Amino acid sequence: QVQLVESGGGSVQSGESLRLSCAVSGDTANYYSMAWFRQTPGPGPDGVAAINLETDTTYADSVKGRFTISQDNAKNTLYLQMNNLKIEDTAMYYCARAKYQIAKERWLLPAPYNYWGQGTQVTVSS
Protein backbone atom coordinates (compact mmCIF):
# COMPACT_ATOMS: atom_id res chain seq x y z
CA GLN A 1 0.00 0.00 0.00
CA VAL A 2 1.12 3.56 -0.67
CA GLN A 3 0.34 6.68 1.32
CA LEU A 4 0.69 10.19 -0.06
CA VAL A 5 0.67 13.25 2.18
CA GLU A 6 0.71 16.74 0.68
CA SER A 7 1.90 19.87 2.44
CA GLY A 8 2.97 23.40 1.64
CA GLY A 9 -0.30 24.98 0.66
CA GLY A 10 -1.40 28.35 1.98
CA SER A 11 -2.74 31.78 1.20
CA VAL A 12 -0.59 34.10 -0.90
CA GLN A 13 -0.98 37.16 -3.08
CA SER A 14 -0.79 37.03 -6.85
CA GLY A 15 2.79 37.01 -8.09
CA GLU A 16 4.10 35.16 -5.07
CA SER A 17 5.43 31.60 -4.88
CA LEU A 18 4.71 28.38 -3.02
CA ARG A 19 6.32 24.97 -3.00
CA LEU A 20 4.12 21.97 -2.46
CA SER A 21 5.51 18.69 -1.18
CA CYS A 22 4.12 15.18 -1.36
CA ALA A 23 5.67 12.65 0.99
CA VAL A 24 5.39 9.06 -0.18
CA SER A 25 5.43 6.13 2.23
CA GLY A 26 4.68 2.45 2.06
CA ASP A 27 5.63 0.67 -1.12
CA THR A 28 7.94 3.29 -2.58
CA ALA A 29 9.31 1.08 -5.33
CA ASN A 30 7.76 -0.08 -8.57
CA TYR A 31 5.97 2.92 -9.91
CA TYR A 32 6.05 4.89 -13.11
CA SER A 33 4.41 8.29 -12.99
CA MET A 34 3.55 10.85 -10.38
CA ALA A 35 1.53 13.96 -10.90
CA TRP A 36 -0.10 16.99 -9.35
CA PHE A 37 -3.78 17.68 -9.92
CA ARG A 38 -6.00 20.48 -8.71
CA GLN A 39 -9.68 20.67 -7.95
CA THR A 40 -11.92 23.71 -7.97
CA PRO A 41 -15.70 23.75 -7.60
CA GLY A 42 -16.86 22.04 -10.75
CA PRO A 43 -15.68 19.12 -12.86
CA GLY A 44 -12.21 17.80 -12.24
CA PRO A 45 -9.63 17.27 -10.97
CA ASP A 46 -7.42 18.85 -13.60
CA GLY A 47 -3.90 17.71 -14.32
CA VAL A 48 -1.26 20.32 -13.54
CA ALA A 49 2.09 18.56 -13.97
CA ALA A 50 3.41 15.03 -14.23
CA ILE A 51 6.79 13.36 -14.02
CA ASN A 52 7.68 9.94 -15.36
CA LEU A 53 10.68 7.85 -14.39
CA GLU A 54 12.25 10.85 -12.64
CA THR A 55 13.14 12.86 -15.72
CA ASP A 56 10.37 13.24 -18.25
CA THR A 57 7.85 15.93 -17.39
CA THR A 58 4.73 17.49 -18.82
CA TYR A 59 2.65 20.49 -17.81
CA ALA A 60 -0.76 21.91 -18.39
CA ASP A 61 -0.63 24.89 -20.73
CA SER A 62 -1.96 27.16 -17.98
CA VAL A 63 1.10 26.59 -15.77
CA LYS A 64 3.92 26.20 -18.29
CA GLY A 65 6.83 28.46 -17.45
CA ARG A 66 5.53 29.08 -13.91
CA PHE A 67 5.36 25.65 -12.26
CA THR A 68 8.08 23.02 -11.98
CA ILE A 69 7.57 19.41 -10.92
CA SER A 70 10.46 17.47 -9.43
CA GLN A 71 11.15 14.57 -7.14
CA ASP A 72 13.76 13.56 -4.61
CA ASN A 73 13.87 9.79 -4.47
CA ALA A 74 16.21 9.79 -1.50
CA LYS A 75 13.49 11.57 0.46
CA ASN A 76 10.59 9.83 -1.31
CA THR A 77 9.11 13.24 -1.96
CA LEU A 78 7.45 14.90 -4.94
CA TYR A 79 7.52 18.68 -5.27
CA LEU A 80 5.66 21.35 -7.17
CA GLN A 81 7.36 24.73 -7.28
CA MET A 82 4.76 27.34 -8.16
CA ASN A 83 5.97 30.79 -9.15
CA ASN A 84 4.09 33.89 -10.25
CA LEU A 85 0.88 32.53 -8.82
CA LYS A 86 -2.37 33.81 -10.24
CA ILE A 87 -5.84 34.03 -8.75
CA GLU A 88 -6.97 31.28 -11.10
CA ASP A 89 -4.43 28.90 -9.49
CA THR A 90 -6.62 28.84 -6.39
CA ALA A 91 -7.59 25.20 -5.82
CA MET A 92 -7.10 22.11 -3.70
CA TYR A 93 -3.94 20.45 -4.94
CA TYR A 94 -3.48 16.69 -4.89
CA CYS A 95 -0.54 14.47 -5.67
CA ALA A 96 -1.12 11.13 -7.34
CA ARG A 97 0.92 8.09 -8.18
CA ALA A 98 0.52 5.39 -10.79
CA LYS A 99 1.71 1.85 -10.27
CA TYR A 100 1.56 0.99 -13.94
CA GLN A 101 3.05 2.65 -16.97
CA ILE A 102 0.85 5.32 -18.51
CA ALA A 103 0.94 6.51 -22.10
CA LYS A 104 2.28 10.05 -22.17
CA GLU A 105 -0.88 11.50 -23.63
CA ARG A 106 -2.68 10.37 -20.46
CA TRP A 107 -0.21 11.67 -17.86
CA LEU A 108 -2.47 14.60 -16.96
CA LEU A 109 -5.65 12.56 -16.77
CA PRO A 110 -6.78 11.41 -13.30
CA ALA A 111 -8.11 7.99 -14.26
CA PRO A 112 -4.80 6.12 -14.63
CA TYR A 113 -3.55 7.07 -11.16
CA ASN A 114 -3.95 4.54 -8.38
CA TYR A 115 -3.02 6.46 -5.24
CA TRP A 116 -4.03 9.94 -4.10
CA GLY A 117 -3.21 12.20 -1.21
CA GLN A 118 -5.71 14.13 0.87
CA GLY A 119 -4.89 17.48 -0.74
CA THR A 120 -3.49 20.84 0.29
CA GLN A 121 -5.32 24.12 -0.30
CA VAL A 122 -3.74 26.94 -2.29
CA THR A 123 -5.49 30.30 -2.22
CA VAL A 124 -4.23 33.21 -4.30
CA SER A 125 -5.65 36.68 -3.80
CA SER A 126 -5.06 40.00 -5.52
Side-chain angles (χ1 to χ4, degrees):
Q1 188 67 319
V2 174
Q3 295 80 43
L4 307 176
V5 179
E6 302 94 336
S7 61
S11 297
V12 296
Q13 293 188 320
S14 58
E16 294 184 341
S17 298
L18 281 174
R19 188 176 80 157
L20 304 183
S21 299
C22 173
V24 183
S25 61
D27 181 9
T28 57
N30 302 320
Y31 75 97
Y32 289 93
S33 299
M34 292 196 72
W36 288 97
F37 290 82
R38 62 188 181 187
Q39 178 75 62
T40 58
D46 298 318
V48 174
I51 186 166
N52 187 64
L53 297 177
E54 303 177 36
T55 58
D56 201 0
T57 59
T58 193
Y59 297 90
D61 288 343
S62 59
V63 305
K64 281 180 182 176
R66 300 188 298 121
F67 290 12
T68 303
I69 188 171
S70 62
Q71 62 186 106
D72 185 335
N73 285 334
K75 296 182 179 179
N76 291 322
T77 303
L78 179 74
Y79 300 102
L80 184 68
Q81 178 66 44
M82 306 186 295
N83 297 329
N84 190 23
L85 282 160
K86 302 178 180 181
I87 293 174
E88 51 265 40
D89 295 319
T90 295
M92 183 71 80
Y93 283 72
Y94 298 90
C95 66
R97 180 178 169 111
K99 61 180 180 181
Y100 303 112
Q101 193 167 13
I102 306 171
K104 188 167 185 177
E105 59 266 26
R106 302 185 71 208
W107 288 1
L108 293 181
L109 298 177
Y113 290 87
N114 308 99
Y115 305 106
W116 293 79
Q118 84 291 346
T120 186
Q121 177 68 36
V122 172
T123 303
V124 185
S125 60
S126 59

